[in-house]
């Protein structure tokens, strides 16, 4: 699925960094990128050296922000042509490389840049990563201003059809307890007084794991989320795998 950048940015444009951009250390933004830069309140400077400003860099943990400038190129002797604004400084001299697909977008007065090859492919992940970096007040202002029901779109996706006997057998094996070793969380019960547990694949089906009794574990909601999203997920996965394998041996 393609990310719809319109959902997060007020304006944005995408361009591939050209050889000239790089050799001249002067990035020539395209029209949509210029719109985003100027919507953020940055206008091309006439003075030299052009003043610098900070741009928020997305999807690059090693470079949270980068300095840029925005200025009119020297007027060509052929005065018929309007000078085109360029971006200078670290953004093009050190950060961008020839061939990078660069997105420049704004959220209010905050300007963002991203190399698209490093962007998440899912809309949710991309939006969350961008908005996390946005100005705190802007996040609250926009959330509070939003009203009504969200739009719907039809979703078609391929789902794995899990074997219901494996789900049932794993729940029986768990005897109502989370199978993550050492988990001592208090569990809640369903209407029928059975303990609420989720059946998880130790090696996920998306990673070519099998839908088998030995590759499935009953987990409490906390352990389940943690084994998917926690910083320690790799260690937890291993611990769970060793435990289930030992039990089934
Ligand atoms: Zn799972
Ligand atoms: Zn647990």
């Amino acid at each position: 699925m393609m990310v719809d950048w319109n959902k997060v940015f007020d304006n944005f444009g995408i361009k591939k960094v050209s050889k000239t951009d790089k050799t001249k250390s002067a990035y020539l933004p395209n029209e949509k990128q210029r719109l985003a830069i100027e919507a953020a309140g940055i206008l091309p400077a006439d003075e030299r050296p052009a003043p610098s400003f900070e741009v928020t860099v997305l999807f690059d943990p090693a470079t949270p922000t980068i300095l840029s400038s925005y200025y009119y190129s020297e007027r060509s002797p052929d005065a018929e042509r309007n000078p085109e604004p360029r971006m200078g400084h670290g953004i093009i001299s050190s950060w961008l490389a020839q061939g990078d697909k660069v997105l420049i977008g704004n959220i209010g007065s905050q300007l963002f840049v991203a190399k698209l090859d490093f962007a998440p492919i899912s809309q949710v992940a991309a939006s969350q990563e961008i908005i996390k970096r946005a100005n705190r007040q802007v996040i609250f202002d926009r959330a509070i201003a939003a009203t009504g029901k969200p739009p719907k779109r039809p979703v078609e996706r391929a789902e794995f059809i899990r074997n219901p006997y494996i789900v049932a057998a794993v729940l029986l094996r768990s005897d109502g307890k989370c199978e993550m070793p050492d988990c001592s969380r208090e569990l809640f019960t369903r209407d029928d007084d059975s303990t609420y547990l989720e059946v998880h694949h130790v090696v996920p089906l998306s990673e070519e794991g099998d839908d088998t009794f030995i590759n499935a574990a009953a987990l409490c909601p906390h352990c389940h989320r943690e084994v998917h999203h926690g910083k320690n997920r790799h260690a937890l996965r291993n611990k769970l795998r060793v435990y289930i394998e030992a039990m089934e041996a």
Side-chain angles (χ1 to χ4, degrees):
M1 189 178 73
M2 287 270 293
V3 175
D4 181 358
W5 303 107
N6 277 306
K7 290 265 187 298
V8 272
F9 294 113
D10 298 341
N11 306 275
F12 75 93
I14 295 166
K15 194 196 114 169
K16 220 175 204 176
V17 177
S18 72
K19 194 173 174 189
T20 320
D21 289 334
K22 197 61 196 170
T23 51
K24 290 192 172 170
S25 260
Y27 176 79
L28 180 68
N30 67 20
E31 201 176 328
K32 286 182 168 177
Q33 292 177 329
R34 270 158 42 194
L35 215 65
I37 297 166
E38 292 174 22
I42 300 158
L43 295 174
D46 284 320
E47 69 262 38
R48 290 292 187 286
S52 61
F53 51 87
E54 233 172 36
V55 182
T56 304
V57 176
L58 296 164
F59 321 131
D60 182 353
T63 315
T65 60
I66 192 100
L67 283 180
S68 182
S69 60
Y70 189 53
Y71 59 91
Y72 279 124
S73 58
E74 298 298 334
R75 224 170 251 282
S76 65
D78 155 23
E80 292 300 294
R81 278 183 55 202
N82 277 332
E84 285 174 308
R86 314 281 157 113
M87 295 176 94
H89 273 315
I91 189 171
I92 184 68
S93 63
S94 60
W95 188 62
L96 287 169
Q98 186 185 335
D100 281 344
K101 245 165 90 190
V102 57
L103 176 149
I104 299 178
N106 78 296
I107 300 178
S109 61
Q110 191 177 359
L111 193 64
F112 295 82
V113 283
K115 294 179 187 177
L116 283 191
D117 286 342
F118 296 95
I121 49 170
S122 98
Q123 180 79 44
V124 175
S127 305
Q128 284 305 318
E129 271 197 64
I130 296 162
I131 292 171
K132 240 174 18 196
R133 304 289 309 286
N135 176 291
R136 210 180 134 87
Q137 194 55 50
V138 170
I139 299 174
F140 281 115
D141 288 347
R142 291 189 179 196
I144 292 162
T147 56
K149 314 260 183 290
K152 282 185 183 173
R153 61 151 187 256
V155 180
E156 194 187 314
R157 63 174 182 211
E159 276 181 349
F160 292 108
I161 301 158
R162 298 172 62 154
N163 185 324
Y165 285 95
I166 292 172
V167 174
V170 167
L171 290 172
L172 283 174
R173 181 183 68 196
S174 74
D175 194 23
K177 293 178 202 74
C178 175
E179 292 188 310
M180 181 63 78
D182 308 322
C183 172
S184 54
R185 279 189 186 76
E186 201 181 318
L187 306 177
F188 63 86
T189 49
R190 295 177 185 262
D191 283 343
D192 66 358
D193 288 327
S194 65
T195 307
Y196 178 86
L197 289 164
E198 297 171 348
V199 177
H200 163 77
H201 288 102
V202 182
V203 177
L205 302 181
S206 60
E207 290 176 30
E208 309 294 312
D210 291 327
D211 189 27
T212 54
F213 190 46
I214 199 163
N215 190 42
L219 297 177
C220 73
H222 182 102
C223 290
H224 194 192
R225 292 292 102 187
E226 191 175 7
V227 81
H228 279 280
H229 304 289
K231 198 173 175 176
N232 276 333
R233 63 192 181 279
H234 300 294
L236 286 174
R237 181 196 287 196
N238 216 38
K239 189 159 121 178
L240 186 60
R241 185 182 56 77
V242 168
Y243 174 74
I244 302 285
E245 281 173 6
M247 192 169 35
E248 293 304 321

